[in-house]
């Protein structure tokens, strides 16, 4: 660990610096930090005279070097939403920082990367998955400190392009869905697999909780699977192809995006699945991606082939809250970071992040 | 008064009886002379006495009720008396005399009674035994009763008195002369009445005469009775302050009657038990009226109904006039023209002629002729009523289900696959539905990912691609591409490794086939180098330009079409696994447009310009020839069931053939404005689509029933537009997604569009 990201706050108006993260050497101590602040203030105000600052890190005075302090206090440097993982049709996956800097390129697939997922991203080493058209899922281990990437496992078994991959909440298993109509559950630690068969290409999978997998398919169904028995628990019948689903543990609903321009909300607990709670209609093309907000019960974001990303509030189902018209081509994926940023990627080779409650910011 | 009168009545007969007794006693003595003297003597006295009596009587007997009877009885007495007047007047006198004292006695008694009431009552009780005896109304002087007195005609007596003694007739009967004399002399003759029962004459008193007169007039017997006295009505229409009766309403007036209820229940029970039959409704239709025309022949009636009067002869106009206005007269030219014309062409059948007067008009020479013509007209032109059927034109339109009910079908354009630079002639979707292959005039074959419209692969084949066809076998992944005179077999390696391997195996397992099929017009060759890297695995060199390739459902056989007017070598069938080609037809049956394999049976469809021929490949013979009523077939598609074929033609038509039904099109769809370029069936949904040069794709719903009796239901459901017409070419090819109700279309604007 050589560098740390840090922000500086003060209540004293005279010494306010910009609220942006600064990259600080991990070994720096109080004096070094004071110097940095003084330099910043000087740059802002020429008449600034040097002041010795004291620093509070999470309510504790900093007395030693930053790294030592963090070790003793047990503070993790890697913030959960620090990195963004994208897969691309150029056969690579990329890791981005929130600021929009490409940190790492994951190259190893022989064909298009269709889906990516984090397995574990706290601590220095994080695990990530990439699913590809070359019918494999690769698990990578990324050391964020040294910025080293190592392929851990290559999961072969699908006979069609792997379109979707999802990690279970306990971070020990993951599930992959493929064009060969199969849904495979993989254990993240030792490699073993369980198969479940769908009737048409699986377009999206996710974990409802540690026991259930939910899959959306081109055969117009959403199926909830029990991974212990490998059988279908619930089948929700739709009338059109499902492109994506998302499950919110907060409101316990499924949102599905389908080829008929509607986002539909389902209650997976109903046995017959005939109950469509709501349908959100505003897109003019296929809805290719939909994602519930991780921290908000009613918000979800959707991306569509009509180049729009829309932010919805399910309490007002008539119209979206915001149309995020940043993309110049089809939107293929959307996601949220845990801090509430919205992400969207599209066919115009761009990844956009949006911040809610402010003017939409492109990165 | 009544009582007293009653007494009077009861007392009278006794007086009369006494008189009779005295009479009879006198008769028995038969001393006539003495009697006469006595009578005369008595007669003299009588009037005075009688007058007194009468006055008494009138006073005493002025009662309303008894007056009549009394007078009656009196009149009888009088009659007798008058009868007896002649012979035994003395009798009467004695009787009267004897009577009078009695009555006076009675009256006196009455007056006495006022003093002693009790005595009087006792007397009354004695007399009352006659009061209720109805027999007192009869004359008890003679007890024979009310019988015809002729019965006693032959007897000397006329009855018996109360004592049972005979009452003898008066000895001397009156003869006519006596009667006449009496009439002449007796001033009371008119009021003398003969009493048959006693045989005596009675002279009526004035009161009695008056009573008789009143009765004869129909008046009340009593003079003083006012028959018109004002009546007091108890019940009137006027509402009074005080009611006549203030009795409260009866309970029975507001409680349903139990008796009626009982009666009704009895009736109901009887009806239920069937003892009482409800009254039958009389049938008026039968029997009451006589249907005059019932036996009439209906044809005669119909003729009467349908009778049409003969058209009337037009009335004569100015031309027919004997003195027509000069403008109606023919000029020289007109006359010449009239004479030249054929009789049937003439405007007028005669020449208008002018006469100075009506007298000079000759006989109409054409009369017979015209009548004959008229009769001929009537005879030869039967007048018939033409029945025109009024049909609402909308009723003739078949009832088709609404397109909304026929979901799902593609409705909107979802994706556009851009990348080609020339017009895209042909497209094909992989059996899995994940990939789309397209061949274009820019010399490239492109592979697209269906769901993202991303071009995954581009293969430059170096020539305008006429046709691409994905191998329908899902276990191999091969694409046949027709360009110029070559058919290329591409292995795009867009599938599972095993699939790729199996397709490799299929392509490589050939060697002995090559030797057996040595001298063919077709050269099979493997590719090398750059082409192999691109995925081109086989080249099948044809002698002529290949127009179309079509796979058999099993994926081993491949048919290629080389349209040529002159040659018999137009269709070739290649077997991929043995690298063998054969020409199935020896004769040229016309310019072959396209071919197709039957999806399940060994049939082969060959579409020439005008017709579609179906060959049985096993028997090697033609089984059917479908006549498309179009000028030039452009495309053909076979239903996945194999029993239906659609053909698009360049004259804007799409014809649906039902092979079980006929060799003529079951339905012709003329929805396109311009030439139909492509037609396609969906593999699982009941959909078919046609692409046209007018830039539209028309999706139709076509349900095919297993029941042979039911014809396919064809409903156009959607017109899909999106392609831009370039160089007068619109949509060139159309194909359905194998699993979803989506349709792809490729156009001359170098795009491929997906409609979902």
């Amino acid at each position: 660990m050589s560098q740390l990201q840090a922000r500086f706050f003060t209540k004293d108006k005279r010494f306010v610096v910009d609220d942006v993260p600064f990259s600080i050497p991990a070994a720096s101590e109080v004096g070094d930090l004071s110097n940095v602040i003084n330099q910043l203030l000087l740059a802002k105000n020429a008449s600034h005279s040097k002041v010795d600052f004291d620093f509070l890190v999470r309510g504790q005075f900093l007395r030693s070097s930053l790294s030592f302090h963090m070790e003793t206090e047990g503070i993790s440097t890697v913030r959960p939403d620090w990195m963004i993982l994208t897969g691309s049709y150029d056969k690579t996956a990329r890791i981005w920082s929130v600021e929009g800097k490409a940190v790492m390129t994951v190259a190893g697939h022989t064909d298009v990367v269709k889906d990516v997922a984090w397995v574990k991203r706290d601590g220095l080493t994080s695990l990530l998955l990439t699913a590809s058209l070359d019918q494999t899922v690769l698990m990578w281990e990324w050391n964020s400190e040294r910025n080293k990437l190592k392929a851990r496992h290559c999961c072969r078994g699908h006979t069609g392009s792997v379109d979707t991959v999802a990690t279970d909440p306990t971070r020990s298993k993951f599930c992959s869905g493929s064009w060969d109509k199969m849904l495979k559950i993989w254990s993240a630690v030792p490699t073993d697999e369980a198969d479940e068969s769908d009737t048409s290409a699986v377009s999206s999978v996710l974990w409802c909780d540690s026991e259930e997998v939910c899959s959306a398919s081109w055969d117009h169904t959403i199926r909830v699977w029990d991974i212990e028995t490998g059988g279908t628990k619930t089948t929700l019948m739709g009338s059109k192809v499902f492109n994506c689903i998302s499950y919110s543990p907060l409101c316990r609903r499924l949102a599905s995006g389908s080829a008929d321009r509607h986002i539909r909300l389902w209650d997976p607990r109903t046995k017959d699945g005939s109950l469509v709670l709501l349908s959100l209609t505003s897109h003019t093309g296929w809805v290719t991606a939909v994602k519930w907000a991780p921290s908000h019960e009613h918000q979800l974001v959707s991306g569509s082939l009509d180049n729009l990303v829309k932010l919805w509030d399910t309490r007002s189902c008539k119209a979206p809250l915001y149309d995020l018209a940043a993309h110049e081509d089809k939107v293929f994926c959307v996601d949220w970071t845990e801090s509430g940023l919205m992400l969207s990627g599209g066919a115009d080779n761009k990844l956009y992040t949006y911040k809610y409650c402010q003017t939409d910011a492109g990165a | 008064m009544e009582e007293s009168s009653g007494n009077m009545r009861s007392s009278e007969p006794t007086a009369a009886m006494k008189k009779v007794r005295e009479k009879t006693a006198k008769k028995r003595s038969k001393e006539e002379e003495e009697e006469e003297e006595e009578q005369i003597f008595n007669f003299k006295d009588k009037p005075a006495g009688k007058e007194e009596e009468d006055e008494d009587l009138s006073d005493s007997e002025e009662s309303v009720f008894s007056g009549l009877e009394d007078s009656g009885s009196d009149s009888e007495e009088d009659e007798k008396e008058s009868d007896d007047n002649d012979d035994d007047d003395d009798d009467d006198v004695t009787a009267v005399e004897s009577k009078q004292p009695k009555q006076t006695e009675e009256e006196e008694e009455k007056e006495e009674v006022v003093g002693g009431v009790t005595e009087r009552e006792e007397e009354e009780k004695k007399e009352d035994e006659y009061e209720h005896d109805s027999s007192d109304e009869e004359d008890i002087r003679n007890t024979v009763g009310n019988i015809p007195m002729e019965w006693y005609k032959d007897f000397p007596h006329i009855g018996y008195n109360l004592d049972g003694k005979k009452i003898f007739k008066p000895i001397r009967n009156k003869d006519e002369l006596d009667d006449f004399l009496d009439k002449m002399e007796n001033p009371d003759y008119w009021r003398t009445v003969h009493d048959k029962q006693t045989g005596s004459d009675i002279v009526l008193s004035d009161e009695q005469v008056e009573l008789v007169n009143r009765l004869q007039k129909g008046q009340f017997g009593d003079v003083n009775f006012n028959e018109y006295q004002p009546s007091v009505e108890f019940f009137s229409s006027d509402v009074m302050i005080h009611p006549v009766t203030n009795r409260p309403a009866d309970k029975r007036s507001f409680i349903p009657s139990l008796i009626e209820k009982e009666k009704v229940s009895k009736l109901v029970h009887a009806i239920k038990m069937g003892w009482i039959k409800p009254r039958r409704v009389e049938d008026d239709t039968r029997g009451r009226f006589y249907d005059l025309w019932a036996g009439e022949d209906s044809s005669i009636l119909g003729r009467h109904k349908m009778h049409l009067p003969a058209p009337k002869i037009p009335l004569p106009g100015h031309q027919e006039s004997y003195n027509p206005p000069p403008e109606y007269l023919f000029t020289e030219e007109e006359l010449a023209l009239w004479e030249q014309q054929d009789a049937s062409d003439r405007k007028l059948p005669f020449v208008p002629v002018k006469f100075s007067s009506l007298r000079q008009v000759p006989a109409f020479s054409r009369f017979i002729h015209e009548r004959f013509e008229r009769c001929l007209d009537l005879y030869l032109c039967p007048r018939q009523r033409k029945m025109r059927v009024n049909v609402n034109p909308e009723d003739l339109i078949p009832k088709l289900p609404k397109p909304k009910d026929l979901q799902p079908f593609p409705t909107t354009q979802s994706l556009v696959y851009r990348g080609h630079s020339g017009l895209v002639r042909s497209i094909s979707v992989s059996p899995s539905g994940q990939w789309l292959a397209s061949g274009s005039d820019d010399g490239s074959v492109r592979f697209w990912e269906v769901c993202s419209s991303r071009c995954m692969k581009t293969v430059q084949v170096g020539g305008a691609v006429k046709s691409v066809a994905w191998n329908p076998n899902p276990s191999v992944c091969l694409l046949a591409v027709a360009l110029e005179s070559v058919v290329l077999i591409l292995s795009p390696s867009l599938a599972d490794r095993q699939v790729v391997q199996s397709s490799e195996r299929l392509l490589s397992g050939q060697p002995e086939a090559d030797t057996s099929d040595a001298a063919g017009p077709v050269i099979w060759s493997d590719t090398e180098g750059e082409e192999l890297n691109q995925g081109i695995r086989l080249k099948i060199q044809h002698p002529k330009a290949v127009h179309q390739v079509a796979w058999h459902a099993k994926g081993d056989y491949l048919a290629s079409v080389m349209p040529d007017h002159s040659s018999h070598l137009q269709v070739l069938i290649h077997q991929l696994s043995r690298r063998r080609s054969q020409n199935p037809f020896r004769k040229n049956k016309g310019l072959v447009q396209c071919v197709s394999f039957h999806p399940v049976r060994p049939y082969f469809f060959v579409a020439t310009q005008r017709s579609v021929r179906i060959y049985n490949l096993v028997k090697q013979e033609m089984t059917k020839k479908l006549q498309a009523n179009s000028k030039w077939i452009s495309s053909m598609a076979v239903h996945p069931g194999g029993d239906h074929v659609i053909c698009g033609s360049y004259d804007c038509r799409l014809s649906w053939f039902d092979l079980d039904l006929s060799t003529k099109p079951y339905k012709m769809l003329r929805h396109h404005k311009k030439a139909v370029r492509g037609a396609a069936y969906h593999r699982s949904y009941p959909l078919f689509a046609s692409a046209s040069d007018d830039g539209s794709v028309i999706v139709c719903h076509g349900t095919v029933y297993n029941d042979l009796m039911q014809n396919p239901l064809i409903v156009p459901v959607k017109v899909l537009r999106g392609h831009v017409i370039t160089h007068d070419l619109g949509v060139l090819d159309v194909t359905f997604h194998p699993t979803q109700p989506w349709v792809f279309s490729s156009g001359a604007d170098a795009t491929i569009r997906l409609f979902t």
Side-chain angles (χ1 to χ4, degrees):
Chain A
M1 197 186 345
S2 58
Q3 298 275 315
L4 284 175
Q5 299 250 334
R7 290 172 195 244
F8 299 98
F9 307 96
T10 177
K11 286 178 180 168
D12 196 336
K13 290 272 187 340
R14 290 174 299 169
F15 307 123
V16 169
V17 293
D18 292 340
D19 183 17
V20 288
F22 295 92
S23 199
I24 308 287
S28 52
E29 296 189 7
V30 182
D32 302 326
L33 292 174
S34 290
N35 278 336
V36 170
I37 301 293
N38 281 319
Q39 290 294 326
L40 286 168
L41 291 174
L42 254 178
K44 242 164 99 179
N45 188 1
S47 62
H48 177 73
S49 58
K50 191 179 176 188
V51 182
D52 281 338
F53 293 99
D54 265 336
F55 294 91
L56 286 166
V57 180
R58 294 197 180 172
Q60 298 282 324
F61 273 110
L62 182 67
R63 287 285 172 254
S64 55
S65 71
L66 265 175
S67 56
F68 182 75
H69 178 84
M70 287 170 69
E71 271 179 38
T72 51
E73 296 291 326
I75 298 171
S76 165
T77 51
V78 183
R79 275 171 38 206
D81 60 339
W82 199 33
M83 255 68 74
I84 300 162
L85 180 61
T86 61
S88 158
Y89 272 84
D90 60 0
K91 305 178 186 177
T92 62
R94 276 193 178 78
I95 301 169
W96 306 78
S97 65
V98 178
E99 290 80 27
K101 207 171 73 183
V103 177
M104 190 69 208
T105 304
V106 184
H109 279 294
T110 57
D111 215 326
V112 171
V113 176
K114 297 287 275 209
D115 199 7
V116 291
W118 290 102
V119 178
K120 182 168 69 134
R121 51 178 175 175
D122 44 349
L124 293 177
T125 57
S126 45
L127 288 172
L128 53 105
L129 291 167
T130 55
S132 166
L133 193 66
D134 61 7
Q135 305 165 12
T136 59
V137 179
L138 287 178
M139 181 187 278
W140 307 81
E141 184 182 309
W142 177 54
N143 191 319
S144 58
E145 190 186 6
R146 279 172 288 161
N147 207 4
K148 286 281 178 59
L149 191 75
K150 199 170 76 181
R152 286 272 300 270
H153 300 290
C154 180
C155 308
R156 296 178 189 277
H158 280 296
T159 58
S161 78
V162 185
D163 275 11
T164 174
V165 66
T167 320
D168 88 319
T170 61
R171 314 272 175 213
S172 62
K173 289 193 277 274
F174 63 93
C175 173
S176 62
S178 162
W179 252 96
D180 60 3
K181 306 167 186 175
M182 298 291 278
L183 205 63
K184 286 180 194 275
I185 314 278
W186 312 76
S187 171
V189 191
T191 46
D192 74 330
E193 60 177 74
D195 293 359
E196 289 159 15
S197 180
D198 216 324
T199 58
S200 185
V202 178
S203 59
S204 179
V205 291
L206 58 86
W207 294 77
C208 292
D209 53 43
S210 56
E211 297 295 314
E212 280 178 354
V213 175
C214 188
S215 69
S217 162
W218 274 32
D219 63 357
H220 307 179
T221 59
I222 297 172
R223 286 164 199 264
V224 181
W225 306 83
D226 191 329
I227 57 161
E228 294 296 329
T229 62
T232 311
K233 282 174 80 177
T234 316
T235 305
L236 308 173
M237 295 296 294
S239 61
K240 290 279 170 13
V241 163
F242 288 112
N243 286 318
C244 51
I245 44 169
S246 175
Y247 180 74
S248 167
L250 296 173
C251 66
R252 294 180 179 186
R253 283 188 208 158
L254 280 172
S256 71
S258 62
D260 59 351
R261 316 190 310 268
H262 304 301
I263 299 160
R264 291 198 172 84
L265 303 186
W266 308 76
D267 194 337
R269 289 167 292 184
T270 58
K271 287 295 171 215
D272 54 349
S274 61
L275 186 65
V276 181
L277 290 170
L278 270 178
S279 70
L280 311 172
T281 309
S282 174
H283 282 295
T284 55
W286 290 10
V287 180
T288 49
V290 62
K291 209 67 150 187
W292 285 97
S295 54
H296 197 288
E297 193 181 343
H298 295 292
Q299 281 179 358
L300 74 150
V301 67
S302 66
S304 162
L305 292 186
D306 58 2
N307 309 351
L308 286 179
V309 177
K310 294 190 189 223
L311 177 66
W312 298 84
D313 192 310
T314 55
R315 289 166 295 189
S316 70
C317 55
K318 294 275 186 289
L321 286 183
Y322 288 104
D323 283 2
L324 311 173
H327 283 286
E328 290 145 15
D329 208 339
K330 297 176 272 289
V331 179
F332 282 133
C333 56
V334 291
D335 203 353
W336 295 78
T337 64
E338 282 175 26
S339 59
L341 289 175
M342 286 172 278
L343 313 169
S344 73
D348 53 356
N349 312 333
K350 286 179 185 138
L351 174 71
Y352 287 90
T353 68
Y354 312 90
K355 205 167 187 180
Y356 177 51
C357 295
Q358 288 183 8
T359 51
D360 297 337
Chain B
M1 273 302 282
E2 276 189 37
E3 278 182 2
S4 65
S5 68
N7 291 337
M8 289 294 291
R9 252 190 306 171
S10 56
S11 63
E12 263 179 348
T14 53
M17 282 193 308
K18 281 177 184 171
K19 191 174 70 183
V20 170
R21 253 176 268 151
E22 286 167 2
K23 271 184 186 174
T24 51
K26 282 167 189 172
K27 278 168 187 170
R28 280 172 200 164
S29 64
K30 288 181 182 178
E31 293 172 359
E32 287 179 19
E33 291 173 1
E34 287 176 6
E35 274 179 30
E36 276 182 14
E37 287 174 5
E38 280 177 8
Q39 269 182 348
I40 294 161
F41 179 70
N42 283 338
F43 198 72
K44 284 172 185 169
D45 286 347
K46 187 187 171 184
K50 204 163 193 185
E51 277 178 10
E52 287 174 0
E53 284 173 44
D54 279 348
E55 282 174 2
D56 288 342
L57 276 172
S58 64
D59 286 338
S60 62
E61 291 180 357
E62 280 288 327
S63 78
V64 178
F65 298 106
S66 62
L68 184 60
E69 291 170 4
D70 284 335
S71 64
S73 61
D74 282 354
S75 66
E76 280 175 353
E77 280 177 347
D78 286 355
E79 250 180 301
K80 285 169 190 168
E81 279 171 2
S82 60
D83 285 344
D84 295 343
N85 266 343
D86 299 336
D87 41 16
D88 43 5
D89 277 347
D90 48 349
D91 270 7
D92 275 336
V93 173
T94 51
V96 169
E97 274 178 347
S98 62
K99 192 178 174 182
Q100 195 179 2
K102 267 220 166 174
Q103 278 190 333
T104 49
E105 277 172 12
E106 275 183 4
E107 296 227 321
E108 282 165 6
E109 271 179 10
K110 259 191 218 169
E111 284 164 5
E112 285 170 3
V113 162
V114 180
V117 179
T118 50
E119 291 174 32
R120 170 79 183 177
E121 280 180 337
E122 283 172 3
E123 281 179 8
E124 274 183 355
K125 276 180 184 169
K126 279 181 189 169
E127 292 167 358
D128 272 349
E129 56 185 332
Y130 299 110
E131 199 172 9
H132 303 291
D133 188 3
S134 62
S135 64
D136 66 345
E137 287 175 17
E138 59 188 312
D139 196 351
I140 47 175
R141 283 172 298 183
N142 186 354
T143 55
V144 291
N146 191 14
I147 55 160
M149 292 311 289
E150 296 91 67
W151 294 352
Y152 284 92
K153 205 169 55 183
D154 302 331
F155 294 98
H157 61 278
I158 52 167
Y160 305 91
N161 64 6
L162 209 56
D163 298 329
K165 304 279 173 45
K166 284 179 180 171
I167 303 172
F168 289 95
K169 285 178 187 171
I171 293 159
R172 197 182 54 134
N173 279 330
K174 277 183 183 173
D175 58 358
E176 289 291 318
L177 189 62
D178 290 335
D179 202 22
F180 176 71
L181 288 174
D182 200 16
K183 199 175 177 180
M184 287 293 109
E185 289 168 0
N186 190 2
D188 289 336
Y189 176 81
W190 60 275
R191 59 167 74 178
T192 310
V193 185
H194 178 72
D195 185 3
K196 280 178 187 165
Q197 221 159 14
T198 53
S200 60
D201 287 344
I202 300 164
V203 177
L204 299 181
S205 66
D206 285 342
E207 289 79 20
Q208 285 167 335
V209 169
E210 198 191 347
L211 182 68
V212 168
N213 285 337
R214 288 181 66 82
L215 288 175
Q216 277 178 342
K217 284 182 201 163
Q219 291 169 335
F220 276 94
D222 187 5
V223 186
N224 298 325
F225 180 70
N226 183 8
E227 52 194 306
Y228 300 111
Q229 57 187 325
S231 66
V232 179
E233 291 182 5
F234 278 104
F235 301 97
S236 69
S237 59
D238 302 329
V239 177
M240 303 293 175
I241 308 169
H242 304 291
V244 178
T245 61
N246 204 8
R247 198 164 48 112
D250 287 319
K251 190 180 175 184
R252 63 172 181 271
S253 69
F254 51 83
I255 282 181
S257 164
L258 279 174
I259 297 166
E260 283 179 9
K261 188 183 164 191
E262 203 172 305
K263 278 183 184 169
V264 169
S265 66
K266 270 183 184 168
L267 286 173
V268 167
H269 180 67
I271 290 171
K272 274 184 186 170
M273 297 301 286
W275 301 329
I276 297 180
K277 293 264 161 56
R279 194 178 296 132
R280 238 189 317 162
V281 180
E282 280 189 24
D283 191 8
D284 280 355
T285 55
R286 192 171 52 80
R288 273 187 63 180
F289 304 107
Y290 174 68
D291 188 359
L292 188 62
W293 292 279
E296 194 88 11
D297 189 5
S298 64
S299 63
I300 298 172
L301 271 182
R303 213 168 61 203
H304 283 304
K305 262 184 217 161
M306 301 303 283
H307 173 253
L308 278 183
K312 285 179 176 161
I313 305 173
L315 292 172
H318 288 295
Q319 291 101 333
E320 284 91 348
S321 169
Y322 78 97
N323 186 14
E327 62 264 29
Y328 289 98
L329 292 171
F330 278 1
T331 57
E332 294 288 326
E333 296 90 58
E334 280 175 335
L335 189 64
L337 180 71
W338 187 86
E339 277 167 355
Q340 271 182 9
Q341 271 177 331
D342 189 54
S344 58
D345 295 339
R346 287 168 179 164
K347 251 184 204 170
L348 285 175
F350 60 93
V351 182
V353 191
K354 182 172 178 148
F355 298 98
S356 58
S357 72
L358 196 56
R359 267 185 296 141
Q360 292 173 358
V361 177
F364 186 38
S365 58
R366 286 175 45 82
F367 180 76
I368 299 289
H369 183 74
E370 277 201 349
R371 283 292 136 145
F372 176 74
E373 295 246 300
R374 163 93 176 152
C375 288
L376 211 58
D377 281 351
L378 296 179
Y379 167 64
L380 290 179
C381 304
R383 296 181 299 282
Q384 273 185 339
R385 204 179 288 263
K386 285 242 172 85
M387 297 302 286
R388 177 179 286 172
V389 184
N390 278 328
V391 178
N392 190 2
E394 288 183 2
D395 294 344
L396 298 175
I397 301 171
K399 296 273 176 293
L400 289 178
K402 283 181 186 162
K404 201 197 275 180
D405 305 331
L406 300 173
Q407 296 267 27
F409 54 83
T411 51
T412 49
Q413 177 182 309
S414 294
L415 285 170
V416 183
Y417 305 80
R418 294 178 201 277
H420 280 296
S421 54
L423 50 89
V424 186
R425 285 218 183 260
S426 176
I427 49 174
S428 179
V429 190
S430 73
S432 66
Q434 195 180 8
W435 309 107
L436 173 72
S438 65
S440 164
D441 271 7
D442 61 2
S444 66
V445 173
R446 279 174 186 260
F447 296 92
W448 312 83
E449 192 183 34
V450 165
C451 62
S452 62
S453 79
R454 181 180 171 84
C455 178
M456 302 301 288
K457 206 169 199 175
T458 308
V459 178
Q460 294 293 338
V461 291
V465 179
K466 295 281 188 218
S467 172
V468 291
W470 210 293
N471 193 317
N473 190 347
S475 65
V476 294
C477 178
L478 291 174
L479 185 80
V481 179
L483 71 150
E484 290 163 356
S485 62
V486 187
V487 171
L488 299 176
I489 306 295
L490 263 74
S491 176
S493 66
L494 282 170
D496 185 18
R497 252 170 287 103
Q498 291 174 347
V499 173
V500 174
Q501 282 170 8
S502 72
S503 48
E504 293 290 330
R505 235 178 291 128
L506 180 70
L507 291 176
S508 55
Q510 30 83 26
E512 45 88 30
D514 235 349
T515 52
S516 67
D517 197 21
V522 175
I523 302 156
W524 293 69
S525 58
D526 287 323
T527 53
E528 288 151 359
E530 181 60 27
E531 287 183 328
L532 188 61
N533 288 345
Q534 280 192 327
I536 303 173
R537 304 300 312 278
L538 268 181
K539 261 187 176 176
I540 308 170
Q541 186 70 43
H542 286 63
K544 280 170 289 189
V546 181
H547 214 75
Q548 191 220 348
V549 283
W551 286 95
H552 184 255
K554 292 271 170 58
D556 194 17
Y557 289 95
L558 173 72
S560 57
V561 181
M562 301 164 284
D564 190 352
H565 266 301
S566 53
S567 166
H568 66 274
L569 185 66
Q570 293 196 83
V571 179
L572 281 172
I573 294 180
H574 314 281
Q575 190 180 9
L576 209 60
S577 57
R578 302 173 70 187
R579 295 202 182 184
R580 208 171 57 168
S581 302
Q582 59 177 353
N583 178 15
F585 307 119
R586 292 207 186 82
K587 277 183 198 162
N588 175 13
K589 291 272 176 61
L591 192 65
V592 175
Q593 295 299 308
C594 47
V595 294
S596 176
F597 284 96
H598 193 284
V600 277
R601 267 176 266 163
Y603 289 147
F604 190 57
F605 297 80
V606 179
T608 56
Q609 275 186 23
R610 295 287 188 102
S611 60
V612 178
R613 289 183 172 81
I614 304 167
Y615 296 95
N616 189 333
L617 291 176
V618 174
K619 291 182 184 169
Q620 300 199 335
E621 62 185 16
M622 192 177 83
T623 54
K624 210 166 256 181
K625 186 184 175 191
L626 306 177
Q627 292 291 345
N629 294 330
S630 53
K631 288 187 181 122
W632 196 312
I633 291 174
S634 63
S635 54
M636 175 179 60
V638 183
H639 192 268
D643 285 337
H644 303 268
V645 176
I646 46 172
C647 281
S649 67
Y650 288 114
D651 51 356
C652 319
R653 297 174 191 196
L654 187 73
S655 38
W656 173 297
F657 293 96
D658 189 337
L659 299 188
D660 297 325
L661 193 71
S662 156
T663 58
K664 296 272 169 19
Y666 161 64
K667 202 150 249 184
M668 298 285 280
L669 306 172
R670 295 185 192 81
H671 301 304
H672 283 292
K673 300 278 189 302
K674 285 186 177 172
V676 177
R677 290 270 174 183
Y681 273 110
H682 197 282
R683 203 192 280 174
S684 51
Y685 287 96
L687 292 173
F688 65 94
S690 57
S692 163
D693 270 347
D694 58 6
S696 69
V697 174
I698 293 182
V699 180
C700 299
H701 178 94
T703 309
V704 172
Y705 300 98
N706 285 330
D707 182 10
L708 285 177
M709 297 304 292
Q710 208 163 2
N711 287 327
L713 172 75
I714 298 171
V715 186
V717 287
K718 189 71 187 175
V719 181
L720 301 168
R721 293 178 200 282
H723 284 286
V724 183
I725 299 171
T726 42
H727 308 299
D728 281 342
L729 291 175
V731 189
L732 297 177
D733 197 6
V734 64
T735 185
F736 276 101
H737 191 275
T739 55
Q740 304 296 335
W742 299 346
V743 67
F744 298 90
S745 65
S746 68
D749 55 352
T751 61
I752 303 156
R753 284 161 203 265
L754 167 65
F755 299 93
T756 59

